[in-house]
Amino acid sequence: MGVLTTNAVGLDSVVAGTADWTPDVVICDYDVLATVPLDQWEHDRLLSRTPVVAVSLTRHAEELQLLDVNGIAGFLYLPTLDRSAALRILYAAAARPRYVLPSLRAPARPVEHS
C-alpha cells in the first residue's frame, strides 16, 4: 500500500522504539486498546500526541464501546477492508493537526487559522 511501517509488541516496546523513529499514526488492535490501561499512553510525551487507528478482525465500528473511542482517530474493520478506504483513513489520521499547550512561561503567540 506504500505505507512505511514498523512493528511493536506491547506499550514498552512502542516507547522504546520511538527513540529511533517518530510515527505519524499508530495502528493498534482495538481489543488491545480496550483492555490496556491507557493512562501510561496518555502521559507519554510522544504517544499522547500521535493519532491512533484501531483495527479489528472481529468487531465492526458500531460495536465499539463509546467510552473506549476517546482518542481513536479512525477504525478499520479488516475483513472488508479495501486499499482506498484504508489509505483514506490513514492519511486523514496522519494529517490531523498536533496541538501542544505552550509552557506557562512561554510568551503568548497569535493563533493562525487556515
Side-chain angles (χ1 to χ4, degrees):
M1 290 176 42
V3 177
L4 179 63
T5 64
T6 190
N7 62 40
V9 177
L11 186 56
D12 293 334
S13 176
V14 174
V15 173
T18 58
D20 300 327
W21 47 268
T22 303
D24 294 319
V25 175
V26 171
I27 302 170
C28 185
D29 185 271
Y30 169 76
D31 289 326
V32 171
L33 293 170
T35 59
V36 172
L38 295 180
D39 55 330
Q40 181 183 2
W41 190 300
E42 292 168 348
H43 292 96
D44 182 80
R45 177 189 59 79
L46 176 66
L47 295 176
S48 64
R49 299 179 188 149
T50 305
V52 177
V53 173
V55 299
S56 182
L57 282 168
T58 58
R59 297 181 189 249
H60 295 268
E62 59 271 8
E63 296 177 63
L64 302 181
Q65 297 297 319
L66 292 178
L67 295 176
D68 296 334
V69 181
N70 206 13
I72 297 177
F75 181 80
L76 300 171
Y77 178 61
L78 297 177
T80 60
L81 185 64
D82 67 69
R83 183 179 196 274
S84 64
L87 290 175
R88 206 171 29 252
I89 289 173
L90 290 174
Y91 284 125
R96 287 177 46 169
R98 293 176 179 90
Y99 296 104
V100 178
L101 292 174
S103 164
L104 293 175
R105 295 183 211 145
R109 65 176 212 207
V111 176
E112 297 179 25
H113 297 281
S114 53

